[in-house]
Structures are given as C-alpha cells and as structure tokens.
C-alpha cells in the first residue's frame, strides 16, 4: 500500500509478505502491526527509502534487510531486540536518528560502513558482535547501559 505526495514523498506500509515488492518510489516505510520480523533482504538496495518506522512488536531485523540503502537516514525500532548480520550494511546516510531502546543483540557487521553515523544509544545491548560498527568512520559516541 502506498501513498504518493509532493516532493518525491511516498509512504508505503510493509506487510512482511514473502517476495513483497517494495515500490521503487517509496521513501517512508511504516511496518504493519501484524509484522514481528522484517525479512532478510526485504529492502536491500532500495534507492529511495529515507525513513523506517517500526511498531513496538517488531522484534527482529533479519540479515541484509536494509543493506545498501544509500538514502536511509532515520530508523525507529522501539521493540527490536535483534539486528542480524549486515542488516544496515552500507546505509551511508544513516546519522543519529536510530531509535533502538530494547536492542539486545547486534550481530556481525549489522551497521558496518554507515559512514555518517555519529552516535548511537544502546541502553539494552548485551551482545555486540565483531565489526558491528566497522568502518563507521564518523562514529564518536556509542552509549551503553549497565
């Protein structure tokens, strides 16, 4: 489901269906309330996504789900507990707008090469695998809980 507006703005509701075709013009993704897992490679190589908003019942982002999304700047995932291998790999526009209060497990290279990412708050992180933030050259502040 999409909604086209002015200034190249297109909202799309992701339903988590197998082989779901995300419109190329989609810029703002809202995850449907029935979805608890964002599938592997669901948005990989999408050229125009700038924002993804998950509801609190989305618990996992599978591998390469958003890899190589060059315009992705903001991710709101309040209930996500696991971010899998390379989920946000090479999202070069991703900056400080990553909201992930319940994120516990960050797998290998989950945010690698997010070259614009400057800071991230991870109050619930328990496991951070190797290269999770590899090549994040602008990252100067990672805040962890107890």
């Amino acid at each position: 489901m999409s909604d086209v507006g002015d200034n190249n703005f297109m909202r799309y509701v992701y339903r988590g269906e197998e082989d779901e075709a995300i419109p190329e013009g989609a810029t703002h993704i809202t995850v449907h309330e029935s979805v608890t897992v964002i599938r592997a490679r669901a948005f990989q190589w999408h050229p125009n996504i700038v924002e993804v908003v998950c509801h609190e019942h989305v618990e996992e982002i599978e591998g390469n789900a958003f890899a190589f999304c060059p315009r992705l700047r903001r991710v709101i995932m309040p209930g996500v507990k696991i971010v899998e291998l390379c989920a946000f790999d090479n999202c070069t526009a991703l900056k400080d707008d990553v909201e992930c209060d319940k994120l516990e497990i960050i797998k290998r290279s989950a945010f690698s090469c997010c070259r614009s990412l400057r800071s991230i708050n991870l109050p619930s992180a328990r496991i951070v695998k190797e290269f999770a933030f590899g090549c994040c050259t602008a990252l100067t502040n990672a805040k962890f809980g107890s």
Side-chain angles (χ1 to χ4, degrees):
M1 176 189 299
S2 61
D3 179 23
V4 180
D6 295 332
N7 300 324
N8 297 323
F9 177 94
M10 179 192 280
R11 185 171 308 280
Y12 180 80
V13 177
Y14 172 71
R15 298 189 177 281
E17 297 168 0
E18 192 171 334
D19 297 323
E20 184 170 353
I22 312 302
E24 187 171 313
T27 58
H28 292 71
I29 307 300
T30 301
V31 179
H32 190 269
E33 61 189 31
S34 65
V35 177
T36 58
V37 175
I38 296 181
R39 292 179 179 269
R41 296 174 296 287
F43 299 92
Q44 185 176 24
W45 291 103
H46 196 287
N48 295 311
I49 295 172
V50 296
E51 178 182 77
V52 176
V53 178
C54 300
H55 55 82
E56 63 186 27
H57 299 293
V58 175
E59 294 187 355
E60 183 176 353
I61 310 289
E62 289 186 345
N64 294 291
F66 296 96
F68 297 94
C69 289
R71 293 185 180 168
L72 182 59
R73 291 190 309 250
R74 184 171 190 215
V75 179
I76 299 171
M77 44 187 189
V80 171
K81 295 178 182 176
I82 301 169
V83 173
E84 293 286 345
L85 174 76
C86 300
F88 294 95
D89 183 27
N90 269 284
C91 291
T92 56
L94 194 59
K95 291 192 179 183
D96 303 329
D97 293 332
V98 178
E99 296 179 27
C100 52
D101 292 344
K102 294 184 181 176
L103 184 55
E104 297 177 7
I105 301 169
I106 305 166
K107 297 276 182 102
R108 181 183 171 98
S109 302
F111 292 91
S112 66
C113 297
C114 292
R115 292 185 176 94
S116 297
L117 186 63
R118 295 179 298 202
S119 66
I120 192 164
N121 187 12
L122 301 164
S124 300
R126 295 182 302 108
I127 298 169
V128 179
K129 293 288 188 170
E130 60 275 358
F131 306 111
F133 297 96
C135 297
C136 292
T137 54
L139 186 62
T140 57
N141 186 24
K143 193 174 188 180
F144 294 90
S146 58

